[in-house]
Amino acid sequence: MASSFDPNNVNLDTVDPAEVVCYLSASGNDYNGHLGARISSIFVIFAVSTAATFFPVIARRVPSLKIPLYVYLFARYFGTGVIVATAFIHLLDPAYAEIGPNTCVGMTGNWAVYSWPPAIALTSTIVVFLMDFGAELYVESKYGVSRVDPAATIVQGDHPSQTISTGEIPSGKSAAWDVETLDSTEAERSFRQQIAAFLILEFGVIFHSVIIGLNLGVVGSEFATLYPVLVFHQSFEGLGIGARMSAIPFKQKSWMPWMLCLAYGLTTPISIAIGLGVRTTYNPNSNTANIVSGVLDSTSAGILLYTGLVELLARDFLFSPQRTNDKKQLTFMIVCTLLGTGIMALLGKWA
């Protein structure tokens, strides 16, 4: 379409608007050098985002570090806000820019018959809900129904009868407690309830990380701004992933949380390396690239919308029987959540 369009001879009464939009959005490869800085981004983003992802998990699983409770709470609830903002600002909005009704893709062929970004996001949200609900029914049928979330209960010192919720740790306690014990059946039940939802969450975030990693490898003049922004972007997302993982009752010697943290940390650096490998040929603004990115971003947006609003906000603040009654601590948790949401939304101005 763009090849037959003459931008110097346009009749506004008869021209197809799609031709104008496709011409304006068409762009080749924008790579403009700075190879050394791009290579450095592989290692910087890997180190910073991996450290941020590991931190909440280490805070819960390594008692000897004695990380203060409020430091852990900051990481966990700041990360919750990050996940929610990522869904709206960093996934759904870019999807509209890639395959929405006012784009070249969205104005041509079957992409023009419907607004696909919200439809794809809605579909993935419902699919995740059905998977989550099915997993819940399976776990309940196998292990029975429990009113108390066993993952939220810990045992204090040498007195098994004295149990309190994770939201009500007395002042002076660290984020990793002296003894964390669960009945084996209850632990297994809680783990199976939560791990499926978490894997879906990480799957959605990794999709997004692949796309931005590729783009960082080939982007043009925007690289100088995008590089530092993505360092924070990936670190905050990693904090959200790690915080969510820290609440899952993995077995003490399980390798899974460490491997899942590492998988997230490696995704963007590997994608940047791939982007550098095709830096002179890959066109991030082509219709094919926009379709792939738009579909993946829409799908990931639906996944993170469900996870952020249902699994994180609703579970921790609205429906948890173990929610803390400490008003100071509850206020801190809310403020951290809002702070994570606000800062991640602000980063959407640049990335």
Side-chain angles (χ1 to χ4, degrees):
M1 179 180 293
S3 60
S4 62
F5 177 71
D6 182 3
N8 298 312
N9 184 22
V10 178
N11 186 332
L12 295 179
D13 293 324
T14 60
V15 69
D16 182 353
E19 291 185 325
V20 178
V21 171
C22 289
Y23 173 80
L24 293 174
S25 61
S27 174
N29 183 276
D30 296 327
Y31 177 76
N32 65 347
H34 307 292
L35 182 59
R38 294 175 194 264
I39 292 175
S40 74
S41 70
I42 296 175
F43 300 98
V44 171
I45 290 179
F46 169 73
V48 177
S49 63
T50 302
T53 310
F54 271 105
F55 173 75
V57 179
I58 292 174
R60 283 294 303 269
R61 298 175 67 87
V62 184
S64 59
L65 293 180
K66 300 186 182 301
I67 294 174
L69 172 65
Y70 274 84
V71 174
Y72 169 74
L73 290 178
F74 172 82
R76 176 168 176 173
Y77 292 103
F78 183 90
T80 293
V82 165
I83 294 299
V84 175
T86 297
F88 286 100
I89 306 299
H90 296 269
L91 291 172
L92 194 55
D93 182 62
Y96 272 98
E98 292 154 346
I99 60 173
N102 295 322
T103 65
C104 180
V105 172
M107 298 177 75
T108 56
N110 291 328
W111 292 99
V113 302
Y114 199 75
S115 183
W116 290 105
I120 296 171
L122 172 64
T123 301
S124 66
T125 298
I126 296 301
V127 169
V128 173
F129 159 69
L130 292 175
M131 294 174 63
D132 194 24
F133 186 56
E136 184 78 13
L137 290 178
Y138 167 76
V139 170
E140 287 182 357
S141 66
K142 183 171 182 178
Y143 297 101
V145 179
S146 174
R147 292 185 178 181
V148 177
D149 181 0
T153 304
I154 62 171
V155 176
Q156 294 292 301
D158 297 325
H159 304 283
S161 61
Q162 299 177 2
T163 61
I164 61 175
S165 74
T166 56
E168 298 177 333
I169 307 301
S171 59
K173 284 289 185 180
S174 62
W177 300 279
D178 295 335
V179 179
E180 291 189 12
T181 182
L182 297 172
D183 175 83
S184 59
T185 301
E186 290 182 334
E188 181 70 14
R189 174 185 181 274
S190 181
F191 173 77
R192 293 198 178 193
Q193 280 180 321
Q194 298 182 59
I195 190 61
F198 173 79
L199 291 176
I200 293 170
L201 166 65
E202 181 158 11
F203 181 68
V205 172
I206 282 178
F207 261 172
H208 177 48
S209 298
V210 169
I211 299 300
I212 62 177
L214 284 173
N215 288 340
L216 185 62
V218 302
V219 74
S221 59
E222 301 95 338
F223 174 77
T225 302
L226 197 59
Y227 181 2
V229 169
L230 286 185
V231 171
F232 288 101
H233 180 285
Q234 291 306 103
S235 299
F236 292 159
E237 277 192 356
L239 200 61
I241 288 288
R244 178 75 182 99
M245 198 185 315
S246 70
I248 300 175
F250 292 98
K251 293 180 180 178
Q252 188 60 36
K253 296 183 179 181
S254 174
W255 53 266
M256 187 179 293
W258 312 113
M259 293 301 295
L260 291 173
C261 287
L262 187 61
Y264 170 78
L266 285 171
T267 299
T268 301
I270 290 174
S271 299
I272 296 172
I274 294 172
L276 290 177
V278 296
R279 61 187 180 277
T280 59
T281 57
Y282 175 67
N283 179 8
N285 297 312
S286 69
N287 267 22
T288 300
N290 278 326
I291 290 171
V292 172
S293 298
V295 171
L296 292 181
D297 281 346
S298 300
T299 302
S300 298
I303 292 172
L304 266 66
L305 281 172
Y306 178 86
T307 303
L309 298 177
V310 177
E311 293 288 337
L312 299 179
L313 288 182
R315 174 175 175 154
D316 286 353
F317 290 105
L318 299 180
F319 304 124
S320 173
Q322 266 65 51
R323 186 181 65 200
T324 179
N325 291 320
D326 184 332
K327 297 299 187 292
K328 176 184 175 183
Q329 184 173 308
L330 189 59
T331 300
F332 181 77
M333 291 156 57
I334 291 288
V335 169
C336 290
T337 301
L338 296 179
L339 187 63
T341 304
I343 292 180
M344 199 63 175
L346 178 62
L347 289 181
K349 176 178 174 61
W350 301 280

